[in-house]
Amino acid sequence: MVERYSATFWLAFTLSFNWMGCKSNKDIERALPQSLGQTAGSEGQIHLTQQQVNLNRILTAPASESSVYSFLTCIGRVTPRAGGEAQVFSPFAGRLIADPVRLPRIGIEVERGEVLAEVEQLFNASEKLQVAAETTQLQATIQQAQREVTFRQIELARVRQLYEGGALPLKHLQMAELNLDQAQTQLESARRTRSQYEQAIAPDTTRRREAIRAPISGTIVAADLTAGAQIDPSKSLMTVVDLRTVWVEVAIHETDLHSIGRALGARIMTRGNPGRIFTGRLITIGNVVDPASRTVPVTFAVDNRDKSLKIGMHAEAQVPTDVPTKSLTVPSSAVLEEENGSFVFVECGPGSYVRRTVALGAVVGGKTVIKSGLKSGEKVVIRGAQTLQSEASKSRIPPVAD
């Protein structure tokens, strides 16, 4: 009888203990924070419930084969665009007239034709005779400038016709327009100088005063001005650069020219703007090979309205080649970096993830080429990978080789 009661007691005690244990485990599970679980599998896996996956907004995407253009990396520098840099000179020798408070300074924006200062000259009879002689010589300069404008107008009409017919690329039309604009500017300058000389040699003139104007719109990047100082027409007073669009000139080896024959642009990067990629539009490929380096200059135009690119800054251009290759890619948000290399988190089952070391290739259009470490179709975490990495670090989960 005692043995029967004893067996009954132990059976009841065991059932009661198990029920209490199950209740305790459920209470503990409910008490856990709904972030990530701390459970790691024996093979370095992180296991999450579906609720934890949802709360942490973890999202995956498969690694897939994509057509990727390889890039040719070239080194160059930032330069003003053609016609985008101009020196400011005085039309004649004299005294600089300007308000010291409003004197143009480096960094000031100016518009083409804006009055920057004035120059005043006093002269005697002998100086008048000299100006008269210079006026006669200036007439020949004006005639030459007029012939240049006529030539550039004919050239532009011919290039525009070929461009509209598809025989020439846009860069040739842009260059012809630029050449005409420069020729017209030179003609206007020569005519303006002649007008000033004619006023100077008038019988009742003992002094002349003329405005010093900005030749182009842009930013003053250099200035040497002192109000009241004597200035020389041969010495530059200011340098104005149009920084809204700059050029990046790179050197490409002659053996690589065939691979970029149809490239229309490039990815531009600089050390002064880490992590930022600028878009360069192809302007021209040079026609002369440097005899020392065996390279050809290639020029790209870059939008620079925020003035992030500085003149003279070193730049790196990645120019796409003509032939694409099939490569395994993943969204770049899936890739994490550390001192020992790069890795991704691979989904190996519902709510189960493992860290995988990968070798990276080029980054193209928001996707990163994976050279090794993944197979096509494997799902990688593209959102929430940082959270998984934080959890893996706490649990000291070792990386898993492929």
Side-chain angles (χ1 to χ4, degrees):
M1 180 68 68
V2 173
E3 291 179 359
R4 188 173 59 198
Y5 284 131
S6 176
T8 303
F9 169 80
W10 283 112
L11 177 61
F13 175 81
T14 302
L15 291 174
S16 174
F17 178 82
N18 289 339
W19 177 84
M20 291 175 64
C22 290
K23 184 179 185 217
S24 176
N25 289 339
K26 290 179 181 179
D27 290 342
I28 292 173
E29 183 178 348
R30 282 195 295 266
L32 284 174
Q34 296 300 318
S35 57
L36 291 186
Q38 298 291 333
T39 305
S42 60
E43 296 184 356
Q45 296 178 359
I46 298 176
H47 300 286
L48 310 179
T49 66
Q50 187 58 48
Q51 184 180 12
Q52 291 167 338
V53 171
N54 295 338
L55 287 176
N56 287 277
R57 304 177 65 191
I58 293 175
L59 184 65
T60 62
S64 59
E65 296 282 343
S66 302
S67 294
V68 177
Y69 285 88
S70 59
F71 286 88
L72 182 66
T73 301
C74 317
I75 304 301
R77 64 188 184 93
V78 179
T79 66
R81 64 172 180 81
E85 179 180 23
Q87 304 292 324
V88 180
F89 295 92
S90 171
F92 48 81
R95 185 170 64 93
L96 184 70
I97 307 298
D99 182 350
V101 177
R102 302 179 60 184
L103 203 63
R105 302 184 306 276
I106 294 176
I108 296 296
E109 298 283 341
V110 298
E111 295 294 328
R112 179 176 179 176
E114 179 180 340
V115 176
L116 305 177
E118 291 182 313
V119 58
E120 183 181 69
Q121 182 185 51
L122 302 176
F123 47 84
N124 52 35
S126 61
E127 289 173 333
K128 278 192 174 186
L129 290 175
Q130 182 180 354
V131 171
E134 292 176 355
T135 303
T136 302
Q137 295 175 358
L138 188 60
Q139 184 60 36
T141 302
I142 292 175
Q143 293 174 352
Q144 176 62 33
Q146 182 62 66
R147 287 193 292 269
E148 181 70 12
V149 168
T150 301
F151 170 76
R152 294 302 181 184
Q153 287 173 336
I154 296 173
E155 179 188 47
L156 176 59
R158 180 182 63 83
V159 172
R160 179 176 284 114
Q161 184 178 11
L162 292 173
Y163 167 72
E164 292 174 351
L168 288 178
L170 177 61
K171 62 183 180 181
H172 288 276
L173 177 62
Q174 292 173 332
M175 189 61 67
E177 292 173 339
L178 175 62
N179 290 337
L180 175 58
D181 182 65
Q182 291 178 333
Q184 290 174 332
T185 299
Q186 291 175 354
L187 177 59
E188 292 171 2
S189 176
R191 286 174 172 172
R192 186 167 55 249
T193 302
R194 181 183 63 180
S195 176
Q196 295 166 359
Y197 282 9
E198 289 174 346
Q199 294 176 12
I201 60 178
D204 58 344
T205 302
T206 59
R207 68 176 64 193
R208 60 174 170 169
R209 187 166 177 169
E210 186 66 30
I212 300 174
R213 300 179 182 272
I216 62 171
S217 298
T219 304
I220 297 176
V221 298
D224 185 11
L225 298 172
T226 303
Q230 290 294 319
I231 54 178
D232 190 317
S234 64
K235 182 180 179 182
S236 174
L237 301 175
M238 286 169 280
T239 302
V240 180
V241 176
D242 183 0
L243 297 174
R244 293 170 297 182
T245 299
V246 295
W247 283 4
V248 173
E249 295 182 352
V250 300
I252 296 182
H253 199 272
E254 60 180 331
T255 57
D256 294 322
L257 288 176
H258 71 282
S259 65
I260 64 163
R262 289 180 292 177
L264 299 178
R267 294 150 47 93
I268 308 296
M269 291 153 286
T270 63
R271 292 182 179 179
N273 299 278
R276 182 173 178 181
I277 298 177
F278 298 86
T279 300
R281 175 173 52 85
L282 179 66
I283 295 297
T284 183
I285 297 177
N287 296 309
V288 179
V289 177
D290 184 280
S293 63
R294 310 306 303 171
T295 59
V296 173
V298 179
T299 305
F300 299 93
V302 183
D303 187 322
N304 189 43
R305 281 172 286 188
D306 64 355
K307 301 181 183 178
S308 297
L309 297 176
K310 312 300 182 184
I311 303 301
M313 182 179 280
H314 289 294
E316 178 183 289
Q318 292 182 345
V319 187
T321 57
D322 288 340
V323 182
T325 57
K326 284 288 185 180
S327 301
L328 185 66
T329 64
V330 298
S332 297
S333 60
V335 180
L336 299 178
E337 305 278 352
E338 64 179 9
E339 292 183 2
N340 297 328
S342 305
F343 61 93
V344 298
F345 280 99
V346 180
E347 184 182 52
C348 50
S352 182
Y353 308 92
V354 65
R355 200 178 96 156
R356 184 82 60 77
T357 300
V358 292
L360 305 182
V363 179
V364 183
K367 292 187 176 182
T368 300
V369 173
I370 303 298
K371 293 183 177 180
S372 64
L374 277 180
K375 297 178 182 178
S376 181
E378 286 190 298
K379 291 184 177 181
V380 297
V381 176
I382 62 173
R383 188 175 68 197
Q386 289 284 2
T387 307
L388 290 176
Q389 169 59 6
S390 176
E391 197 64 25
S393 298
K394 295 177 184 177
S395 303
R396 299 182 182 277
I397 300 175
V400 176
D402 186 17

